[in-house]
Amino acid sequence: MTEMSTTAFKDNVAKALADDQLQFAMTETGPRFIAKRTKAREALPEFDQLRDQARGIKDHVLDHLDIYLERYEAKVKETGGHVHWAETPDEARAAVLEICRKANAKMVTKGKSMISEEIDLNRHLEENGITPVETDLGEYIIQLRNERPSHIIAPAVHLTRGQVEADFRRVHTHLDPGRDLSEIPSLVEEARGVLRRKYLTADVGITGANFLIAETGSSIIVTNEGNGDLTQTLPKVHIVLASIEKLVPTLEDATTILRVLARSATGQEFSNYTTFSTGGRRPGDPDGPAEYHVILLDNGRANVLGTEFQDMLRCIRCGACLNHCPVYNAVGGHAYGWVYPGPIGSVVTPALVGIEKARHLPNASTFCGRCEEVCPMRIPIPKMLRHWREKEFERHLQPTTMRWGLGLWAWVAKRPKLYRRATALAARVLANQAHGKGRLKKAPLASGWTEFRDFPAPQGKTFHRLWKERRS
Amino acid sequence: MPESPPRVGLFVTCLVDLFRPSVGFAAVKLLEDVGCTVEVPEAQTCCGQPAHNSGDRADARAIALNVIAAFRGFDYVVVPSGSCGGMIVKHYPELFDTGSAGHEEALHLARRTHELTSFLTRVMKVDKVEARFPARATYHDSCSGLRELGIREEPRKLLASVEGVSLREMTDADVCCGFGGTFCVKYPGISDKMLEKKLRHIEATGADTLIAGDMGCLMNMAGKLKRVGSAIKVRHVAEVLAGDYATPPIAEAE
């Protein structure tokens, strides 16, 4: 696995900006997501009311999460399933491994699951002699490359078609060199051919969950390739990996949120497959797993409840905030250094790995507000990023120069008379340095600015000085 | 609207004060032209956004209290910036506990505070200005004005009334230019990538003038345009609406 790090954010960014393939891939796909969502939204006049409803549902669940989790657990048991509580990634990995060992599993197929990424499950399975096979096309591609997803719903969005073709030719040694793989459908077909055989031989199928439903004990996944269905119905054991905030009270609630999910994510009215699973195979069922397990991961989420960060737990992982984020579109998902990239990742990651390790993420935002504007769950992302900056400030995590600089500025800004004198001086000095050209190639303490831009020079006198002169 | 001329306090903004007083005077002219009396309280400095966005709530609050005190008694407070306007309107109330005296005062100020073009159109019900300004122009929406204050049509409507101005929309006019306050110096590489995209969209319109309502965005875009040798002139919307084409564009020689 390519190692990634949130502390190395600046290095990650430098690499991303210099990566021509990445830059090409990002400019190709970003605008497409946006156009599709806009169209889907315009076609549904009640979209914003649905967003309000969706937010209301999740807020209610989060305020009563203990009740719904217990209700859900009872229902899963009633339908013959098993629930495993995991407070930490370690516990979740151990629970998966134990189930796999009991099933004598050599190979597991996997539907797309961000929780699997969060607990770094594949590595753990491999270390214990079990082969994980990703069945979502994007996940399959990045597994071939030993990479992390760079997007919540489009894991391989950072890659060009040419790169994917090269990976297939490298790993699929059976391929005829003359076969045309230059178009997406041919790549899909090739991956499908390889994966079909895996579905039939896998001992365990692992999926994520978009929703867990308290009233029925069901889990829901939404997919576009149908790989999730094959993953969860063909092997004899089905494991659902989910975090605790995926709960909704009723089927009705889930369908309300589903109406905003696909529209926000891919611009579809509904994903191609919306698959419900409730327990394992019942007597008389033609297919389905013999065993049904749910692993419920906390990993720090319960600590977020009741804090100024609680709203982040409404997230349904649609990826709209990523698609609309100019920062994400400039650097891609890997630069963020962990599992969840983009605006919501910059809110979630500090909560899960600690603000000490992730202080760059909430800072790498212009607060442009597009994320909040498109979030189907109306998560106030900029406000939460700012809250993280407050935590960072409280704990003195900022670089000393930044802190002192801003401290000095604020000290002066609180003293209007001193401020007037300081600004009058600065305006005059900078204007003189510009020698009538209106701009500076270099300015004191502004190398971050002048590396890429000229520095517009002041006109010479401050507004306040001129106002006084003209009105007296 | 009060019977007597509305008494407006101009919140100059720190960037206009320091870099481009001509924007402040253009704002004064526009306000006086529609019958306001304009005053400029001396005790104002900055809106406090740099502190607020750096997680320094205590200083942000102290500066907010200073602004609140400086602008007591005005019918309206007008700001030639969506960003500083957004700070006062949306963020000042968040700095104080609900129900506290500070919160009440912040709300009172927020209700009276308007960005310049939205004040002219929404409050003073003006939909045209008497001005001439030769420009094939394109307008960039600054993020705070657009998404915090909902300003989109207001500047375009007023600009369309200026004799000599023709407006052409750029692709992604509503996408951030990469300024973001301290962001642009903390992460200059990302900021520059965003700017590059913005520049491509600006240039594709064939406009000879770029207009926006916020000095931060304008200085960022002007700085890049001049660095790459572009002839596109960069102007604050207030200058265009006031017909001030005598003042050199941002980052241009006198």
Side-chain angles (χ1 to χ4, degrees), chain A residues 135-178:
Chain A
T135 64
D136 171 90
L137 179 61
E139 290 283 346
Y140 179 74
I141 293 166
I142 59 165
Q143 191 184 20
L144 294 185
R145 298 174 62 86
N146 217 6
E147 284 181 344
R148 291 272 200 176
S150 69
H151 188 288
I152 292 173
I153 65 158
V157 73
H158 58 289
L159 299 171
T160 62
R161 258 176 282 175
Q163 285 173 299
V164 175
E165 179 180 352
D167 288 321
F168 276 21
R169 294 205 187 275
R170 176 172 56 81
V171 180
H172 296 183
T173 43
H174 59 269
L175 268 170
D176 172 1

Side-chain angles (χ1 to χ4, degrees), chain A residues 106-388:
Chain A
K106 299 277 174 297
M107 184 178 67
V108 305
T109 42
K110 294 180 67 205
K112 205 175 138 14
S113 158
M114 291 306 285
I115 299 301
S116 164
E117 298 292 337
E118 189 178 322
I119 66 173
D120 207 357
L121 180 61
N122 286 3
R123 186 187 343 219
H124 189 67
L125 291 174
E126 281 163 4
E127 283 169 2
N128 287 280
I130 297 167
T131 308
V133 177
E134 296 289 349
T135 64
D136 171 90
L137 179 61
E139 290 283 346
Y140 179 74
I141 293 166
I142 59 165
Q143 191 184 20
L144 294 185
R145 298 174 62 86
N146 217 6
E147 284 181 344
R148 291 272 200 176
S150 69
H151 188 288
I152 292 173
I153 65 158
V157 73
H158 58 289
L159 299 171
T160 62
R161 258 176 282 175
Q163 285 173 299
V164 175
E165 179 180 352
D167 288 321
F168 276 21
R169 294 205 187 275
R170 176 172 56 81
V171 180
H172 296 183
T173 43
H174 59 269
L175 268 170
D176 172 1
R179 194 168 140 209
D180 181 20
L181 286 179
S182 60
E183 292 305 318
I184 290 171
S186 56
L187 290 169
V188 173
E189 195 191 326
E190 170 56 22
R192 277 209 172 129
V194 171
L195 287 172
R196 289 275 168 193
R197 296 189 290 277
K198 310 277 187 188
Y199 290 124
L200 296 168
T201 43
D203 308 291
V204 174
I206 300 175
T207 65
N210 291 90
F211 302 95
L212 303 173
I213 298 167
E215 77 171 342
T216 59
S218 312
S219 61
I220 299 182
I221 55 169
V222 294
T223 62
N224 277 322
E225 297 160 21
N227 62 304
D229 295 31
L230 296 172
T231 301
Q232 68 182 38
T233 47
L234 294 178
K236 52 188 185 287
V237 178
H238 177 199
I239 301 174
V240 176
L241 267 179
S243 49
I244 54 174
E245 84 282 14
K246 293 288 166 200
L247 255 290
V248 291
T250 65
L251 283 167
E252 182 80 27
D253 294 326
T255 53
T256 300
I257 304 178
L258 277 168
R259 294 187 70 196
V260 293
L261 173 57
R263 288 181 168 92
S264 301
T266 51
Q268 293 163 288
E269 291 183 352
F270 261 76
S271 302
N272 293 350
Y273 300 86
T274 300
T275 311
F276 295 69
S277 45
T278 312
R281 181 195 299 214
R282 282 158 298 203
D285 282 355
D287 56 15
E291 283 178 39
Y292 178 82
H293 297 267
V294 182
I295 292 166
L296 279 174
L297 177 72
D298 174 10
N299 197 22
R301 287 165 175 80
N303 293 335
V304 171
L305 289 170
T307 70
E308 67 266 54
F309 297 105
Q310 176 171 313
D311 291 350
M312 76 165 78
L313 299 178
R314 288 205 297 264
C315 177
I316 53 173
R317 306 286 187 254
C318 71
C321 63
L322 281 64
N323 300 335
H324 289 77
C325 176
V327 173
Y328 174 87
N329 282 313
V331 299
H334 287 159
Y336 292 77
W338 201 56
V339 176
Y340 302 103
I344 192 64
S346 298
V347 176
V348 169
T349 304
L352 301 191
V353 309
I355 183 64
E356 305 76 18
K357 286 188 193 152
R359 61 160 291 269
H360 277 296
L361 303 184
N363 277 286
S365 161
T366 64
F367 288 151
C368 83
R370 242 182 153 198
C371 47
E372 181 176 0
E373 184 179 51
V374 299
C375 175
M377 305 306 288
R378 296 200 189 277
I379 300 170
I381 293 175
K383 185 167 144 189
M384 309 205 134
L385 295 173
R386 194 181 284 106
H387 283 324
W388 279 125

Side-chain angles (χ1 to χ4, degrees), chain B:
Chain B
M1 208 181 297
E3 292 295 315
S4 53
R7 199 173 146 241
V8 169
L10 181 70
F11 185 86
V12 180
T13 80
C14 58
L15 292 178
V16 167
D17 179 45
L18 180 64
F19 286 92
R20 210 159 165 86
S22 53
V23 172
F25 287 104
V28 171
K29 177 190 184 298
L30 290 164
L31 292 167
E32 288 179 344
D33 282 354
V34 296
C36 301
T37 58
V38 182
E39 293 172 48
V40 182
E42 262 212 80
Q44 60 177 304
T45 58
C46 161
C47 67
Q49 205 176 156
H52 187 48
N53 287 352
S54 301
D56 178 1
R57 275 178 85 87
D59 278 326
R61 208 179 290 133
I63 294 170
L65 285 170
N66 179 39
V67 174
I68 289 168
F71 285 90
R72 263 190 208 121
F74 288 102
D75 297 325
Y76 299 106
V77 177
V78 174
V79 192
S81 155
S83 177
C84 315
M87 177 69 193
I88 296 173
V89 173
K90 295 288 174 192
H91 297 290
Y92 275 16
E94 294 169 4
L95 288 169
F96 303 93
D97 293 332
T98 314
S100 66
H103 189 248
E104 284 307 310
E105 291 218 72
L107 284 175
H108 183 56
L109 175 63
R111 280 192 290 266
R112 290 176 294 138
T113 300
H114 302 269
E115 180 276 338
L116 176 66
T117 61
S118 62
F119 177 74
L120 293 174
T121 51
R122 294 180 200 168
V123 180
M124 299 308 291
K125 309 290 180 202
V126 166
D127 53 11
K128 57 178 189 296
V129 291
E130 296 295 329
R132 208 181 71 78
F133 199 111
R136 267 202 325 270
T138 189
Y139 188 85
H140 164 76
D141 295 283
S142 71
C143 300
S144 308
L146 177 69
R147 279 179 276 269
E148 291 188 336
L149 303 176
I151 296 163
R152 184 177 205 119
E153 295 313 317
E154 292 82 351
R156 288 176 172 81
K157 188 158 70 178
L158 293 173
L159 283 168
S161 75
V162 177
E163 190 194 334
V165 168
S166 67
L167 270 180
R168 52 207 57 211
E169 286 295 321
M170 70 174 99
T171 306
D172 290 348
D174 63 340
V175 175
C176 182
C177 70
F179 175 62
T182 55
F183 169 87
C184 72
V185 287
K186 284 191 286 190
Y187 305 98
I190 308 176
S191 174
D192 185 55
K193 176 60 75 179
M194 292 161 70
L195 254 177
E196 277 177 12
K197 290 182 190 173
K198 182 55 72 177
L199 251 61
R200 273 204 296 279
H201 294 316
I202 294 167
E203 282 163 351
T205 62
D208 60 23
T209 305
L210 168 67
I211 303 172
D214 269 273
M215 277 307 291
C217 323
L218 287 163
M219 289 174 64
N220 186 44
M221 293 184 290
K224 181 73 183 178
L225 282 164
K226 296 308 128 185
R227 176 61 59 93
V228 301
S230 168
I232 295 172
K233 299 187 266 301
V234 182
R235 293 281 187 182
H236 191 283
V237 64
E239 297 174 304
V240 180
L241 295 179
D244 173 17
Y245 51 85
T247 302
I250 297 169
E252 302 269 3
E254 287 152 28

Side-chain angles (χ1 to χ4, degrees), chain A residues 406-470:
Chain A
L406 276 162
L408 178 65
W409 166 85
W411 191 81
V412 177
K414 286 187 283 188
R415 291 164 176 78
K417 281 188 184 138
L418 177 64
Y419 183 88
R420 282 287 95 76
R421 284 202 293 276
T423 47
L425 178 68
R428 198 168 62 236
V429 169
L430 286 170
N432 285 342
Q433 281 185 353
H435 302 297
K437 291 198 199 94
R439 57 185 183 267
L440 298 154
K441 293 278 172 207
K442 283 208 165 93
L445 304 172
S447 60
W449 181 286
T450 52
E451 189 181 350
F452 298 108
R453 295 156 279 226
D454 287 358
F455 190 75
Q459 288 172 327
K461 287 185 179 176
T462 65
F463 178 84
H464 284 279
R465 175 66 59 88
L466 289 166
W467 179 256
K468 230 177 174 173
E469 285 174 15
R470 291 184 194 183

